[in-house]
Amino acid sequence: MTWSLFWSNLANAVSLGSLYSLVAIGYTMVYGILRLVNFAHADLLMVAAYAAFYGVLVFRLPFAISVLLAIVLTAGVGVLIERRAYRPLRDSPRITAMISAIGVSFLLENLGLVLFTGRPKSFPVPGFLGASTDIAGIRVTNITFVIVFVTAILLLLLLYVIHKTKTGIAMRALARDFDTARLMGVDVDSVISLTFAIGSALAAVGGIMWALKFPQINPLMGMMPGLKCFIAAVFGGIGNVVGAVIGGFLLGVAEIMLVAFLPSVSGYRDAFAFIILIATLLFRPTGLLGEKIGEKV
Amino acid sequence: MLKRTFGFGIAVLLVLAMLSGCGQKEAKEIRIGVFEPMTGSSAAGGQMTWEGIQLANELYPEVLGKKVVLYLEDNKTDKNEAANAVTRLIEQKKVVAIIGSYGSGLSMAAGPIVMKNKIPTVGCSPTNPLVTVDNPYYFRVCFIDPFQGKVMAKYAYNDLNARTAVIIRDVQDPYAVGLAQYFKEAFIALTGKTDSILAELEYNTGDQDFTAQLNTAAGKKPDVIFAPGAYGDAAIMIRQARQMKINCPFLGGDTWEAPEFIQIGGEAVEGAALSTHYSAQAPGTEAAKTFVEAYRKKYNKEPNAFAALGFDAYCLILDAINRAGKAEPQAIRDAIAATKNFKGVTGTITLDENGDANKSAVILQVKDGKFVYLTTVEPD
């Protein structure tokens, strides 16, 4: 493999990794606080992509505005899911909430099939993002840079919120101990709602950028990316935001490089991601950055 | 007490259900099942086929003086669901014949079930040879992939002057794997060099990121890239290739013929060429004229190969029922197997010992955002 091929593969790997990271953050935040794998998270990618699609093509809104509306709408859907499907089950066994999450996921997917039909739709990509730029002989699409840039900004913002604001402190307190946090005057419900709103908004950004990079959207588009991002979150250490980002990057890079260096096994790309999941669970269940937290009573 | 009443109620319901089941057998209707991908990555193909079948049902709603009723089951572009769908058609809807499915893998998943239940099934567009081999109940109205692979290899070699090719195929789809293999064999036979296929690269159904495969392909500098697979995946792939300034022509098979291929691919798919079963722009048969006219009137758009094949599959079954003189699965099967010179929209259909049709193919090319007819290739 020549260097220029390597660099262009790396550019693609980093942008795929950034997408994984954005969505993995949502999984990890919800898990950190509620110990719940929010399976519906993946389908929010789809909700956001379709919202932006309809905003641009049906309501004829400018691209930026329909993207903003889509993010807000998706965040709203995320909060609504938490309120209707998870909050009533908060004191039930964890498995109950997880099954509820799977139910919500199926609900969203099938609602999508009914509302948007199963035929894939072409996502409108603004000219600038679809174009590509030459850098030292390597051709990279502009969306690649945008994805990395947006992910970096959002991650910094998120880290600031978590570590420097009162809400962030409350979130971290909830992740440690629900009851004590409540006794200290933390408004548990609204902090959880906010967590879902942030996680869902990130998923929305991820979903729209996913659709910009791969401009074919269908109601089941969230399934595979959702699983991959879940793997990324577990790999990085579920419950840990930085871990999710690192896990997402490593998974994206590993996937692309696997196909690039070993073309003959490229059909096993998805299997490879799941092998990472199994290996993580077997040998380092807390993930790369996860710390061991005692089971909550 | 409540429990006993409840139990009694259930018993009554069951008896009623059984009675109504008996009643259906006497009903004056003939039930034909359809299983097609109405959702999932092949949804466009299934929906186009279904449009053709419905149109045929509207034009020819009766056979043997009985009404023909269609039952549609969505196989969701999923092999497990395809098996479920035909099981439901056979067990719940009690159909006497089945039409479907777009996608060889989906048809192959249903094959053993229709064979076990002895229900004759006519595929519209599953082109992999394995669909009908060793299955006396599976037939099809389309050509098969050894021919289709040869058509595209010849086109690449003669018309595009290609001497080297790279194959990028969907490894989960028996259709794509098979067609890639036949293309490879034919291309090697034409060039006389085993190394004229520079690389065979793989991806999974529904993959969205082909940059790594395309980088490898670009490094080999092929004259053409052959990429059989679903229209959506292929459109995204070609888009990414053009963004990466890979300018060599892309060739594919009949699955590319979907409006989504052009919508998703946009300018990138201009010039992409594919083989398919039928084009309304090609000189057509008498049946084709009826079909094209009725299709334009009902759907207000140009017809496509899959609608035409769906139309043919329905008419072929009706023709068989007519010749059999009764609507029983075994009699219908025997009549279908004996089909000779059936005048369909997509050509004259004579089924061989495997239940395959030996037919011509057409080559289409994307020009100005439309599929344009290039040429017809006759079978050898």
Side-chain angles (χ1 to χ4, degrees):
Chain A
M1 176 171 307
T2 61
W3 277 107
S4 74
L5 268 184
F6 176 78
W7 288 119
S8 83
N9 275 325
L10 191 69
N12 290 318
V14 169
S15 86
L16 186 66
S18 310
L19 280 178
Y20 285 162
S21 300
L22 268 185
V23 182
I25 291 172
Y27 276 108
T28 226
M29 281 175 75
V30 169
Y31 186 86
I33 290 178
L34 292 180
R35 295 290 181 272
L36 165 74
V37 179
N38 180 16
F39 283 106
H41 190 66
D43 297 300
L44 294 177
L45 294 176
M46 177 269 290
V47 171
Y50 271 97
F53 172 84
Y54 279 102
V56 172
L57 283 189
V58 178
F59 298 109
R60 305 263 162 216
L61 298 171
F63 189 77
I65 292 181
S66 58
V67 165
L68 274 180
L69 283 178
I71 293 171
V72 172
L73 181 89
T74 312
V77 172
V79 172
L80 189 74
I81 291 172
E82 191 273 329
R83 198 156 288 182
R84 290 284 163 238
Y86 304 150
R87 191 174 293 181
L89 297 172
R90 200 173 289 159
D91 299 321
S92 325
R94 235 186 271 159
I95 191 83
T96 318
M98 199 168 95
I99 291 171
S100 179
I102 295 174
V104 173
S105 166
F106 282 164
L107 175 74
L108 287 177
E109 282 166 15
N110 286 290
L111 206 62
L113 283 175
V114 173
L115 290 178
F116 314 133
T117 78
R119 283 174 88 144
K121 290 188 162 51
S122 164
F123 193 79
V125 182
F128 162 71
L129 294 174
S132 40
T133 318
D134 274 315
I135 300 170
I138 305 157
R139 182 161 288 271
V140 186
T141 49
N142 293 346
I143 181 70
T144 305
F145 299 112
V146 174
I147 288 174
V148 178
F149 185 67
V150 170
T151 305
I153 300 253
L154 288 177
L155 179 66
L156 289 178
L157 260 175
L158 183 67
L159 286 177
Y160 175 79
V161 168
I162 292 180
H163 290 282
K164 300 283 176 196
T165 64
K166 271 213 160 133
T167 328
I169 296 171
M171 280 180 187
R172 284 184 292 146
L174 279 185
R176 291 274 162 178
D177 192 329
F178 248 75
D179 293 326
T180 314
R182 203 193 306 261
L183 287 172
M184 297 295 164
V186 173
D187 182 352
V188 173
D189 283 343
S190 58
V191 172
I192 289 179
S193 286
L194 191 70
T195 308
F196 269 84
I198 294 177
S200 307
L202 292 178
V205 177
I208 291 167
M209 293 204 295
W210 190 277
L212 286 171
K213 191 166 163 64
F214 313 117
Q216 174 199 19
I217 59 174
N218 73 71
L220 305 180
M221 64 181 272
M223 286 170 86
M224 211 16 134
L227 284 174
K228 296 269 179 73
C229 298
F230 174 63
I231 293 172
V234 173
F235 182 46
I238 194 151
N240 185 318
V241 170
V242 180
V245 173
I246 293 178
F249 266 103
L250 288 181
L251 186 66
V253 172
E255 275 195 351
I256 293 275
M257 290 305 169
L258 178 86
V259 181
F261 281 99
L262 302 167
S264 55
V265 297
S266 49
Y268 295 101
R269 177 170 170 170
D270 294 344
F272 176 72
F274 289 102
I275 290 171
I276 291 187
L277 176 65
I278 296 170
T280 313
L281 291 176
L282 280 180
F283 301 113
R284 197 178 160 82
T286 50
L288 291 178
L289 295 189
E291 49 193 297
K292 205 160 180 80
I293 308 172
E295 280 287 294
K296 290 209 301 184
V297 187
Chain B
M1 181 58 208
L2 187 68
K3 221 174 197 174
R4 198 186 290 167
T5 328
F6 183 67
F8 180 71
I10 293 278
V12 169
L13 275 179
L14 277 176
V15 170
L16 279 177
M18 274 153 70
L19 283 176
S20 68
C22 298
Q24 276 171 0
K25 246 182 196 160
E26 318 246 312
K28 294 265 174 246
E29 63 176 38
I30 291 173
R31 300 177 162 205
I32 296 180
V34 178
F35 78 111
E36 288 288 343
M38 303 307 281
T39 56
S41 60
S42 293
Q47 291 180 9
M48 289 187 286
T49 312
W50 175 232
E51 282 175 358
I53 300 171
Q54 280 177 306
L55 181 68
N57 183 239
E58 246 169 56
L59 291 184
Y60 311 108
E62 282 187 0
V63 65
L64 302 178
K66 291 181 186 169
K67 197 169 164 7
V68 180
V69 183
L70 294 175
Y71 288 92
L72 172 70
E73 285 284 342
D74 178 11
N75 64 35
K76 304 180 185 167
T77 324
D78 180 305
K79 289 163 202 147
N80 298 323
E81 288 292 338
N84 293 341
V86 286
T87 308
R88 276 198 297 274
L89 287 172
I90 294 169
E91 287 178 0
Q92 292 172 11
K93 310 292 189 213
K94 312 269 182 231
V95 299
V96 295
I98 296 176
I99 301 175
S101 164
Y102 180 96
S104 299
L106 302 170
S107 303
M108 278 147 78
I113 296 165
V114 302
M115 187 154 98
K116 198 172 126 230
N117 291 285
K118 301 194 188 318
I119 301 292
T121 303
V122 179
C124 306
S125 59
T127 45
N128 190 292
L130 295 178
V131 172
T132 54
V133 165
D134 291 332
N135 189 340
Y137 289 87
Y138 225 117
F139 305 90
R140 66 180 125 210
V141 291
C142 54
F143 54 65
I144 55 178
D145 285 336
F147 172 59
Q148 186 169 208
K150 211 182 285 172
V151 166
M152 284 327 271
K154 270 187 193 160
Y155 174 74
Y157 186 84
N158 294 333
D159 299 44
L160 300 180
N161 253 327
R163 294 296 173 265
T164 55
V166 162
I167 293 173
I168 306 180
R169 63 182 186 204
D170 177 351
V171 72
Q172 278 181 12
D173 181 3
Y175 159 83
V177 174
L179 186 52
Q181 182 62 28
Y182 297 118
F183 176 85
K184 180 183 167 185
E185 284 167 13
F187 195 72
I188 287 176
L190 285 168
T191 54
K193 286 187 198 131
T194 46
D195 56 354
S196 57
I197 301 290
L198 301 174
E200 285 176 89
L201 307 170
E202 297 175 343
Y203 67 92
N204 288 307
T205 309
D207 267 5
Q208 304 280 286
D209 188 295
F210 304 99
T211 47
Q213 286 96 330
L214 287 168
N215 260 331
T216 311
K220 308 268 182 197
K221 302 204 185 334
D223 292 338
V224 291
I225 295 179
F226 186 62
Y231 52 84
D233 300 347
I236 297 259
M237 183 195 300
I238 299 173
R239 243 186 122 109
Q240 286 170 6
R242 298 299 183 237
Q243 284 169 346
M244 295 161 71
K245 283 285 173 269
I246 298 174
N247 290 324
C248 73
F250 272 81
L251 305 179
D254 54 330
T255 46
W256 281 14
E257 195 200 341
E260 280 82 353
F261 180 73
I262 295 175
Q263 284 162 17
I264 294 167
E267 278 176 23
V269 297
E270 280 291 313
L274 59 128
S275 53
T276 187
H277 309 267
Y278 163 80
S279 164
Q281 299 156 27
T285 59
E286 206 49 49
K289 282 185 194 117
T290 324
F291 164 77
V292 171
E293 221 166 83
Y295 187 94
R296 281 190 187 133
K297 205 167 135 205
K298 181 167 162 69
Y299 298 110
N300 218 353
K301 58 184 176 188
E302 279 302 292
N304 51 67
F306 299 106
L309 288 171
F311 191 92
D312 276 356
Y314 176 89
C315 294
L316 187 101
I317 291 178
L318 244 59
D319 176 64
I321 295 176
N322 233 335
R323 281 184 283 125
K326 54 185 171 185
E328 278 166 21
Q330 189 59 41
I332 299 175
R333 187 223 94 86
D334 294 340
I336 295 177
T339 301
K340 277 215 164 58
N341 295 325
F342 170 81
K343 300 268 183 283
V345 174
T346 57
T348 307
I349 297 170
T350 298
L351 296 182
D352 66 12
E353 69 280 6
N354 285 329
D356 299 333
N358 192 18
K359 286 161 62 193
S360 56
V362 300
I363 296 180
L364 304 181
Q365 189 174 34
V366 181
K367 252 190 208 134
D368 302 324
K370 281 196 196 84
F371 290 111
V372 177
Y373 168 76
L374 283 187
T375 176
T376 303
V377 184
E378 296 298 330
D380 353 83

